[in-house]
Amino acid sequence: MQTSRREFIRQLGYVSIGFTILGTSCMNSKEKQGEGVDSEAATDNSNRPDRINAWLRVLEDGSVLVLTGKMELGQGIRIAVAQMAAEELNTNPDLVEVNLAETGVTANEGYTSGSHSIETSAISIRRAAAAAREKLLSLASEKWKLPKSEISLEDGKIIAGNNKMTLYDLLEGRQLSEEIGEPTEFYGKTRRKYVGQPVLRKDISAMVRAEHEYVQDLEFPNMVHARIIRPSSYTSKLASLDEAGLENFPGFLKLVRIGSFVGVIAEEEYEAVKLSWEVNNLAKWDNDEELPADVPLKEYLKTLDAEVETEEENGDWEKAIKEAPVQHSAAYYKPYIMHAANGPSCAVAYFENNELSVWTHSQGVYPLRETMAALLGLPAESIHVKGVPGSGCYGHNGADDVAAEAALLAVNYPGRHVRLQWMRNDEHCWEPYGTAMIMELQAGLDASGKIQGWNYNFWSDGHSTRPNGQPETLLPARFLDKGHGVPGIGFKGGAVRNSTPYYNIGALRTTSHIFQGPLRKSALRGLGAYGNIFGIESFMDELAHKAGKDPVEFRINHLNDERAITCLRKIKEHTSNVRPGENEGLGYAFSRYKNSASYFAVAAHVKKMDDGIFRVKKMWGVIDSGETINPDGLKNQTEGGMVQAASWALREEVRFDKEHIISVDWHRYPIFRFEEIPEVEVEVIDRVNEKPLGAGEAAQGPSAAAVANAVFDATGVRYRDLPINPVEKYLREPEE
């Protein structure tokens, strides 16, 4: 590639605005070539994941740019892929830059979800880097007429005795476009100079100093600001809107009205906010549907039509339960819960000459591009989507919706960058939630306390309605009066996740009842695994008490996977010296996420306070994710999952009335505050010779069950419905 490092970085979309941030120039290939850039620089490698340069490029100073189709969500994917590339290239990670998901630049890796980032993207980058190393050494061998054994690659340079040259000079400006093939050695398995080490994430210290730039921080010259005017309910239609006099408001630029979709654009952000308040007062809406606020949600869900399917069945489970000397049944429930992103969703869009550019914290830039193309009636190739990290984002929150809304506004106000920032009530009221679930279990124990029969029924909505090319998966589509409708059940497989226990049970049945619920929902960390594991692991605790067994040993007696057993034995060791006091208890739980990813065992120490509220004093976790890339990153992911799950279990619930959501802010949707966060201790089992496993969602279900089991240990009372603490204890009106 005959171009300078500065020019190459500019093409990939680095925009300098005070700090260095990831944006994009979003120029198409013809524009790039028109500026005298070699055509190879503009090549779209997103559909050629078998080529080395689809995953990494050598820059002018010999450093390396890694291209990942995954997004940084706080899970540390940026440092992990940098470590893996650095290891294979024997190069300091400081010399490795990472470009996140961007259409036409990075490979199309779908969504950053399901704990797949290390298992897929990082492994692809490892293979590409190893293949690049072997090719670079071969090229140097040919150039210097020396055997490869006398040549080394270190910190972006090829070295042979006193001879040194940068990788860029060796390639003479080209890029490695060869097929990856199968490298002969992976340094990440044999040397582990960087892999397996706690290489520091530079973005963490930047966050602490408030220097980290998220999509919320993007600024562009001459940028304008926007807000959306929201109706009162999901199905509201705009009846009338008196626009007279709006043009006299300070900063007013345009009111965009498309059916029942209404937005305002102003010069300054606060001007847009004030305009949205004014327009909201002028808008009249027709509401023709009500939410089921008069019936307890747990009862209402059972009345909905459901798709019933047997997910797993082995042996005569019915006979096994009926003939068991000890029989037990229990039902559990989880409500709708929020992503509750710390930073409300945000996007920037720019439209000119029939070309649309969007900066977004979406977890799937390619699926979003296809879906926006269908929504806007534009060809997908005219839309460029650049992923930029968002503040507080895990799961399918409002990122895709705000991007689509910003795009709609930009198309109707071309030539200037349009920044759309959701407000707190936008995020809380309109994001797609984690769905409510009901879990009912029956089991029979034999005389020795082993499970001889098991029956599990669960009720759930689908757990993912991510953008998939269908406009109705985007929030604004339902208000455009084009008959897009709303998404249906969505991804049923998310509901089924971890519904079959990982334990050895000879006779069992698992049955799903998939409904379409009253609230908007989509993928939230763990999807159905959170509810399923909470139910299964709470029930396992109940069975252990019925059998008169230690809850950890009871689980071990139903396992033959040594890795699972090791996690449980280690978690028992961590709590061996804990002596709960009065009104205190210890609870345990275990799962293997998706029954194929990370193993995780957890313990929780809970205390019942004088006011009757339960508090988590400490939590312990043991996680086995196979080969560990960055132990600090893995610990951070696990700790965060444990704390988040404990907050869900103790105090989180989406509440609504007949019209819409009433959990509109932090006062009415209370999450853990800093003083409530327990001490957390995590042990990582590093298995170098195993493949790395997905870990980002492994902690959710077991942690909630461990908290509930600890509450039982403390009080002798079994709490089966979440949240355990009454939400009313936390609700308070916001201060004026």
Side-chain angles (χ1 to χ4, degrees):
M1 185 180 66
Q2 303 294 336
T3 185
S4 70
R5 179 177 185 271
R6 177 176 295 177
E7 179 68 9
F8 183 74
I9 293 295
R10 188 187 66 77
Q11 292 160 10
L12 284 180
Y14 282 70
V15 181
S16 181
I17 310 166
F19 303 107
T20 300
I21 57 178
L22 282 167
T24 179
S25 62
C26 293
M27 295 186 297
N28 63 30
S29 299
K30 290 182 180 179
E31 290 173 324
K32 292 177 182 178
Q33 294 177 37
E35 293 183 353
V37 181
D38 186 273
S39 60
E40 186 182 352
T43 300
D44 180 351
N45 285 297
S46 58
N47 294 316
R48 296 303 307 270
D50 58 329
R51 301 301 179 101
I52 294 173
N53 64 338
W55 301 99
L56 60 88
R57 315 280 176 86
V58 175
L59 303 179
E60 188 178 12
D61 61 359
S63 63
V64 175
L65 183 75
V66 170
L67 307 172
T68 174
K70 299 297 186 180
M71 272 291 288
E72 177 61 69
L73 312 176
Q75 81 278 37
I77 184 63
R78 191 173 353 222
I79 188 61
V81 299
Q83 284 178 252
M84 295 180 84
E87 187 74 67
E88 300 308 321
L89 295 170
N90 196 30
T91 295
N92 191 301
D94 288 342
L95 299 176
V96 178
E97 301 178 46
V98 179
N99 194 89
L100 300 173
E102 181 175 0
T103 58
V105 176
T106 62
N108 182 354
E109 297 193 75
Y111 299 109
T112 305
S113 63
S115 300
H116 286 306
S117 295
I118 295 295
E119 292 179 311
T120 57
S121 187
I123 293 300
S124 296
I125 290 166
R126 166 181 275 177
R127 293 181 65 247
R133 179 193 71 238
E134 294 180 357
K135 180 63 177 176
L136 290 165
L137 292 174
S138 294
L139 289 173
S141 175
E142 294 172 9
K143 187 179 186 70
W144 286 336
K145 308 300 182 186
L146 293 172
K148 288 173 63 175
S149 60
E150 296 181 13
I151 303 171
S152 63
L153 190 165
E154 184 175 356
D155 291 340
K157 294 181 176 61
I158 294 290
I159 303 170
N162 293 324
N163 295 323
K164 291 184 179 181
M165 72 168 61
T166 69
L167 302 182
Y168 187 85
D169 290 338
L170 173 65
L171 292 171
E172 297 179 343
R174 297 182 299 106
Q175 290 298 320
L176 294 171
S177 58
E178 290 86 352
E179 291 188 5
I180 295 172
E182 191 59 39
T184 59
E185 182 183 1
F186 291 107
Y187 286 180
K189 293 290 188 180
T190 58
R191 300 191 180 188
R192 290 175 67 82
K193 182 178 180 181
Y194 302 114
V195 166
Q197 305 304 315
V199 178
L200 294 178
R201 286 174 52 182
K202 295 181 180 178
D203 58 335
I204 297 293
S205 59
M207 291 177 201
V208 173
R209 294 193 299 267
E211 294 176 354
H212 193 85
E213 299 232 10
Y214 298 107
V215 66
Q216 287 89 348
D217 301 312
L218 284 176
E219 294 183 39
F220 293 89
N222 211 28
M223 184 172 72
V224 297
H225 297 267
R227 288 296 188 274
I228 303 300
I229 286 72
R230 304 288 180 193
S232 58
S233 74
Y234 284 134
T235 58
S236 296
K237 298 295 182 184
L238 184 64
S240 65
L241 175 58
D242 183 5
E243 303 178 29
L246 290 178
E247 66 275 6
N248 297 322
F249 270 75
F252 175 80
L253 294 174
K254 188 169 185 176
L255 182 141
V256 176
R257 176 178 174 179
I258 312 171
S260 295
F261 173 81
V262 183
V264 291
I265 303 173
E267 289 286 357
E268 300 295 335
E269 184 167 19
Y270 189 48
E271 292 171 341
V273 172
K274 290 190 291 185
L275 269 166
S276 69
W277 294 341
E278 179 65 24
V279 175
N280 186 62
N281 291 331
L282 298 171
K284 306 298 181 185
W285 302 88
D286 289 332
N287 303 319
D288 58 0
E289 292 187 21
E290 293 183 348
L291 293 174
D294 292 337
V295 182
L297 186 60
K298 184 178 177 181
E299 296 178 18
Y300 175 77
L301 297 180
K302 282 285 199 79
T303 70
L304 297 174
D305 292 335
E307 299 176 6
V308 182
E309 186 171 340
T310 300
E311 302 295 340
E312 180 113 5
E313 187 167 17
N314 295 310
D316 192 341
W317 58 271
E318 194 168 16
K319 180 181 178 182
I321 295 175
K322 187 177 181 180
E323 295 181 354
V326 178
Q327 300 172 27
H328 186 55
S329 62
Y332 306 87
Y333 166 75
K334 69 166 285 283
Y336 286 94
I337 52 178
M338 290 186 186
H339 295 81
N342 287 331
S345 297
C346 182
V348 178
Y350 180 82
F351 184 75
E352 191 170 35
N353 299 324
N354 293 316
E355 298 283 334
L356 175 66
S357 306
V358 179
W359 292 259
T360 172
H361 54 114
S362 169
Q363 293 185 7
V365 294
Y366 282 96
L368 176 60
R369 181 179 71 169
E370 298 301 316
T371 312
M372 286 198 301
L375 179 75
L376 300 168
L378 293 172
E381 56 269 21
S382 71
I383 302 175
H384 190 110
V385 183
K386 172 62 187 174
V388 186
S391 173
C393 172
Y394 211 125
H396 180 200
N397 64 357
D400 297 297
D401 300 320
V402 73
E405 291 172 341
L408 281 163
L409 297 175
V411 166
N412 284 274
Y413 196 76
R416 295 181 72 175
H417 290 82
V418 178
R419 177 182 180 271
L420 176 59
Q421 170 72 68
W422 275 16
M423 306 287 276
R424 174 53 54 195
N425 59 335
D426 291 320
E427 192 75 35
H428 276 211
C429 292
W430 293 95
E431 67 145 90
Y433 308 117
T435 186
M437 292 179 66
I438 299 169
M439 298 75 70
E440 296 184 352
L441 295 103
Q442 299 172 281
L445 301 175
D446 65 18
S448 66
K450 293 289 289 288
I451 301 172
Q452 67 180 40
W454 177 281
N455 184 31
Y456 179 36
N457 285 270
F458 66 94
W459 284 257
S460 176
D461 205 330
H463 279 260
S464 182
T465 53
R466 291 182 184 272
N468 58 359
Q470 302 301 314
E472 63 267 22
T473 56
L474 296 169
L475 176 63
R478 66 181 65 198
F479 298 111
L480 296 180
D481 290 351
K482 290 188 177 181
H484 288 306
V486 298
I489 287 173
F491 176 49
K492 176 186 171 182
V496 176
R497 188 171 296 176
N498 278 102
S499 58
T500 298
Y502 196 65
Y503 301 103
N504 300 324
I505 303 172
L508 64 80
R509 183 183 69 171
T510 299
T511 307
S512 62
H513 305 256
I514 309 299
F515 57 76
Q516 184 162 2
L519 302 188
R520 191 171 183 237
K521 86 293 178 183
S522 194
L524 177 56
R525 196 175 192 181
L527 284 72
Y530 172 67
N532 287 323
I533 296 171
F534 165 68
I536 289 171
E537 284 300 296
S538 295
F539 194 61
M540 286 293 289
D541 202 67
E542 296 194 38
L543 293 177
H545 283 84
K546 286 283 183 180
K549 304 286 186 180
D550 175 87
V552 173
E553 290 302 319
F554 182 77
R555 288 169 170 82
I556 290 173
N557 290 339
H558 288 87
L559 289 165
N560 59 12
D561 186 330
E562 286 302 321
R563 293 171 70 175
I565 293 171
T566 297
C567 287
L568 281 163
R569 293 212 183 282
K570 282 182 173 291
I571 203 67
K572 193 68 172 179
E573 291 173 6
H574 279 286
T575 58
S576 60
N577 294 323
V578 178
R579 300 291 180 266
E582 185 178 0
N583 294 321
E584 295 183 358
L586 279 175
Y588 299 89
F590 163 81
S591 80
R592 185 177 185 190
Y593 184 53
K594 293 193 276 192
N595 288 351
S596 61
S598 289
Y599 300 81
F600 181 66
V602 57
H605 184 183
V606 168
K607 179 176 182 178
K608 185 177 183 180
M609 311 303 290
D610 292 340
D611 59 0
I613 293 296
F614 293 99
R615 295 281 295 269
V616 183
K617 296 182 65 175
K618 185 170 182 177
M619 300 181 78
W620 299 261
V622 176
I623 190 162
D624 174 354
S625 297
E627 179 193 2
T628 301
I629 307 305
N630 187 315
D632 276 0
L634 181 53
K635 284 183 180 180
N636 292 342
Q637 279 290 279
T638 307
E639 290 168 352
M642 293 163 72
V643 171
Q644 184 181 43
S647 180
W648 289 351
L650 285 180
R651 60 187 306 178
E652 296 187 38
E653 178 182 9
V654 175
R655 300 164 69 246
F656 55 90
D657 60 20
K658 289 185 177 182
E659 280 199 345
H660 202 45
I661 309 304
I662 59 176
S663 304
V664 299
D665 51 36
W666 296 124
H667 298 285
R668 282 160 282 203
Y669 187 83
I671 65 174
F672 268 5
R673 296 182 180 270
F674 280 113
E675 66 270 15
E676 297 171 286
I677 295 173
E679 181 183 353
V680 181
E681 184 179 313
V682 172
E683 177 183 354
V684 171
I685 300 175
D686 186 6
R687 297 187 183 274
V688 177
N689 296 321
E690 300 288 345
K691 66 179 183 179
L693 300 173
E697 299 166 304
Q700 305 308 113
S703 295
V707 169
N709 294 337
V711 167
F712 173 79
D713 190 52
T715 65
V717 178
R718 182 67 65 176
Y719 287 78
R720 300 188 178 102
D721 291 359
L722 300 179
I724 292 171
N725 288 329
V727 174
E728 291 74 18
K729 288 276 190 177
Y730 302 101
L731 298 180
R732 52 186 174 182
E733 289 301 316
E735 298 176 0
E736 292 294 333

